[in-house]
Amino acid sequence: EPDTESQTDNVVSMILTDHNGPYTNVRNAPRGKVVGKISTDNVASLVLCQPTNGWWRIVDDKVYYDEDDTSETLSGSDTGYWVYHSVVGASTRNYGNRRIGLREQPRNDAHVSYWFSDERLLHPLDVKGNWVKVVTDDGAHTGWIHIFWLCSNPLTTCP
């Protein structure tokens, strides 16, 4: 079972999972003006913080490209860069098909509202320490999962 110690920075690492076009819009605030675009041609990773009504701020204004180990600094906004939760996500690291539960609260002893045993794409809604509130890719289930179970590296399996 994952440890219960909390990290203090409340950030999550996610990959861009938007495949609805050649790019994903980046905004200057939640529901704000489009100030940038991230190409969906490459595998892009983002470190996210400050969840606000489904929107996430991109930490350090950086986009990391996994395939060639480069990064890009976004520009054009004085108020930060934001993406919506539905365009970012992480897979579960459930390679042994162990049962994983989405919990009602961010605690190991909280009631499990949904169990699954296959790898799933999850989209982040909130973060509290080492716990991430997620919604399943089909939108059917929401709950808290320990960050240990999330893998934001699409090119390899997480240890």
Side-chain angles (χ1 to χ4, degrees):
E1 193 69 20
D3 69 65
T4 56
E5 291 182 29
S6 291
Q7 60 190 36
T8 58
D9 46 7
N10 286 324
V11 299
V12 293
S13 179
M14 295 284 153
I15 58 169
L16 196 64
T17 59
D18 185 11
H19 301 291
N20 292 322
Y23 57 83
T24 297
N25 288 332
V26 177
R27 299 178 184 270
N28 66 348
R31 299 183 190 261
K33 176 183 164 189
V34 174
V35 293
K37 298 179 185 310
I38 302 171
S39 172
T40 56
D41 289 342
N42 297 321
V43 177
S45 296
L46 305 167
V47 180
L48 305 171
C49 66
Q50 298 176 350
T52 306
N53 297 321
W55 292 87
W56 289 85
R57 185 177 184 146
I58 300 173
V59 172
D60 296 330
D61 308 334
K62 287 201 180 279
V63 179
Y64 300 92
Y65 296 102
D66 292 339
E67 290 171 350
D68 55 9
D69 203 23
T70 61
S71 67
E72 168 188 9
T73 301
L74 298 168
S75 61
S77 173
D78 294 331
T79 55
Y81 301 90
W82 297 77
V83 292
Y84 198 57
H85 77 274
S86 63
V87 301
V88 293
S91 294
T92 53
R93 64 164 81 218
N94 198 20
Y95 314 121
N97 294 327
R98 183 174 167 189
R99 283 182 60 192
I100 297 176
L102 296 185
R103 299 186 178 274
E104 292 179 357
Q105 300 293 322
R107 302 186 322 265
N108 280 334
D109 62 351
H111 179 263
V112 174
S113 58
Y114 178 64
W115 288 102
F116 59 96
S117 58
D118 54 340
E119 286 184 52
R120 295 284 174 105
L121 175 62
L122 303 173
H123 300 281
L125 298 171
D126 199 358
V127 60
K128 288 190 177 168
N130 285 329
W131 291 87
V132 181
K133 187 174 187 179
V134 295
V135 60
T136 54
D137 195 40
D138 62 7
H141 305 282
T142 302
W144 292 90
I145 189 169
H146 194 280
I147 204 162
F148 170 84
W149 294 109
L150 298 178
C151 180
S152 61
N153 187 335
L155 303 179
T156 186
T157 56
C158 290

